[in-house]
Amino acid sequence: MKFNKKLQNIKTYEAGKPIELVVREFGIEPKDIVKLASNENPYGCSPKVQSAVAKIIPNMALYPDDSMLKLKNALTKKYALEHKNLIIGSGSDQVIEFIMHAKADENSKILMNSVTFAMYEIYAKHVGAEIVRTASQEHDLDEFYGLYKATNPAIIFLCTPNNPTGDAIDTDKLMEFIEKIDNDTLVVVDGAYMEYAAYKDESKKIMPQELVEKFENVIYLGTFSKAYGLGGMRVGYGISSENIIKELYKLRPPFNITTLSLEAASVALEDEEFVNNCIALNFQEMKRYEEFANEQKIDIIESYTNFVTLCLNNTQNSTEISNALLRKGMIVRDLSGYGMNAIRVTVGTKEQNSRFFELASLLL
């Protein structure tokens, strides 16, 4: 059977291993498994969300509100925008897919960082676009600009804070960079972890409404999968000018967000106190990782997210260490696929982190 030739050079995205898979492969009891691989909120979602979702379960036979009115109202209130500036996706990665199909084709170039979210490349390959990467591991905007001038890309992806490294771009520098980009190049600012960066450092905080007011060629991406603790609900969004949102809507399938997901995301926005408490605990526990890295004499990239990237020594191998941890029921992310001898570890609860330190100290 023949398939689309564009699929030949696409590697399937590998998500963090689920607990169920580790149970089957290694015979470990679920209670003895700690998952620190997918950057989920270890404290879950707001109790208000759980209560609200339970109340609407009897309505599951009905299609969701395709206008997504309640969620859009909540987002426009949060960001002081209008409905015309919003598109909701099944995770922000679905919005990335819309963006790619709306703007790029086999004649396009897509500019991105050397190490960044894998789905940018995968969706670029869906349409046959050429991928242009920087040489620098962290976002070097001078290098980005040089490549922009040399290649004239259709889309530029800026992931801040960046996944999987955790570094973030200064907002002032980001704005200066976008000002130099022509209006026919779409700049995607992926802020999946922005709630964490904004809490830690005001200079990294990006306000989507400022991007929309100032630039016609920018789209900001946000998600409920990280700080809001709704990874299982799959809700993300894009914020942009009316013209861009109109084009993306042509690609959105009907009812792409479930009734339960819409309710969960809407109510989550009403409990910012819960989210801020989770973020505060995250950075409190992150200090322990910084101390651990110092004790083990390994490098740690300063993180503005809910995960840390531990860069290993030449005598250590990230794949071997990740697999050894896995056999002990500790799931972390091996970054060898990104060309890094490093592991990415979600900052968990105090107990989860203590378990990681206990196991990792025997291997590093």
Side-chain angles (χ1 to χ4, degrees):
M1 183 180 292
K2 294 181 179 180
F3 293 95
N4 189 327
K5 292 181 180 179
K6 294 185 178 71
L7 299 180
Q8 293 176 358
N9 297 319
I10 298 177
K11 292 182 180 180
T12 303
Y13 179 81
E14 292 187 17
K17 286 185 181 294
I19 291 173
E20 294 79 5
L21 181 62
V22 179
V23 170
R24 292 196 301 269
E25 286 190 1
F26 301 102
I28 304 172
E29 291 293 323
K31 66 179 177 62
D32 296 324
I33 297 173
V34 178
K35 184 186 179 189
L36 298 178
S38 299
N39 306 336
E40 296 135 330
N41 185 336
Y43 308 102
C45 65
S46 164
K48 294 179 181 179
V49 171
Q50 298 177 43
S51 177
V53 169
K55 290 177 182 177
I56 65 168
I57 286 177
N59 297 329
M60 286 196 297
L62 304 177
Y63 282 113
D65 171 17
D66 199 46
S67 73
M68 307 181 194
L69 183 63
K70 184 174 182 179
L71 178 54
K72 286 186 176 180
N73 283 344
L75 284 168
T76 54
K77 180 180 179 181
K78 176 180 175 65
Y79 292 119
L81 293 166
E82 299 181 52
H83 287 201
K84 65 183 181 181
N85 300 119
L86 283 169
I87 186 166
I88 312 297
S90 179
S92 56
D93 49 332
Q94 187 180 45
V95 183
I96 296 169
E97 184 179 18
F98 297 159
I99 290 167
M100 199 65 69
H101 285 272
K103 181 63 179 166
D105 57 26
E106 62 274 8
N107 299 311
S108 303
K109 292 181 175 65
I110 311 299
L111 177 56
M112 65 188 73
N113 205 55
S114 63
V115 179
T116 195
F117 186 39
M119 291 309 299
Y120 305 153
E121 177 178 340
I122 290 174
Y123 285 133
K125 288 182 175 180
H126 281 192
V127 299
E130 179 183 344
I131 297 153
V132 180
R133 289 185 182 272
T134 63
S136 305
Q137 180 177 287
E138 295 187 6
H139 282 69
D140 182 331
L141 295 183
D142 289 335
E143 185 181 0
F144 262 90
Y145 186 68
L147 288 170
Y148 156 73
K149 294 295 288 184
T151 63
N152 188 32
I155 305 172
I156 300 173
F157 281 99
L158 300 172
C159 188
T160 182
N162 190 32
N163 178 19
T165 54
D167 56 290
I169 304 170
D170 286 343
T171 304
D172 289 346
K173 293 180 179 178
L174 176 74
M175 301 295 274
E176 290 172 5
F177 172 79
I178 298 173
E179 284 178 351
K180 297 187 291 185
I181 305 302
D182 69 272
N183 281 337
D184 196 45
T185 299
L186 179 60
V187 180
V188 181
V189 178
D190 190 342
Y193 298 91
M194 183 49 59
E195 288 83 3
Y196 294 96
Y199 182 95
K200 181 176 181 177
D201 188 341
E202 188 76 18
S203 71
K204 313 291 186 184
K205 182 178 181 180
I206 295 171
M207 300 296 289
Q209 58 268 44
E210 291 182 12
L211 291 177
V212 172
E213 289 170 0
K214 194 166 186 179
F215 306 109
E216 285 286 323
N217 62 326
V218 176
I219 182 165
Y220 175 90
L221 304 180
T223 184
F224 289 89
S225 296
K226 308 304 177 184
Y228 289 93
L230 295 175
M233 287 295 188
R234 309 302 298 127
V235 188
Y237 54 91
I239 297 176
S240 190
S241 62
E242 181 179 8
N243 290 338
I244 290 174
I245 296 299
K246 278 183 177 180
E247 293 303 310
L248 299 186
Y249 253 91
K250 296 175 182 178
L251 295 159
R252 187 188 73 89
F255 311 117
N256 62 317
I257 308 296
T258 71
T259 299
L260 301 184
S261 298
L262 287 170
E263 182 69 8
S266 301
V267 176
L269 288 170
E270 299 173 5
D271 196 355
E272 293 289 347
E273 181 181 358
F274 174 85
V275 174
N276 288 332
N277 286 339
C278 291
I279 295 173
L281 288 170
N282 171 78
F283 286 114
Q284 180 178 310
E285 284 296 305
M286 189 179 288
K287 292 177 182 177
R288 299 177 66 199
Y289 279 90
E290 294 167 353
E291 293 168 359
F292 176 79
N294 185 54
E295 291 169 1
Q296 298 297 323
K297 295 181 172 54
I298 57 176
D299 292 331
I300 183 171
I301 298 174
E302 184 176 7
S303 176
Y304 295 85
T305 66
N306 66 340
F307 63 83
V308 294
T309 299
L310 301 175
C311 302
L312 307 183
N313 300 320
N314 293 332
T315 58
Q316 301 161 329
N317 182 284
S318 63
T319 302
E320 292 176 2
I321 287 176
S322 297
N323 288 337
L325 288 169
L326 190 62
R327 288 191 290 272
K328 297 292 185 181
M330 174 62 62
I331 312 173
V332 299
R333 194 63 181 264
D334 173 25
L335 297 185
S336 61
Y338 290 86
M340 299 177 66
N341 184 32
I343 58 174
R344 190 191 69 189
V345 188
T346 305
V347 178
T349 63
K350 183 176 182 180
E351 294 74 21
Q352 290 174 328
N353 299 328
S354 294
R355 180 62 175 159
F356 171 80
F357 300 141
E358 176 188 345
L359 293 173
S361 61
L362 300 174
L363 300 168
L364 297 174

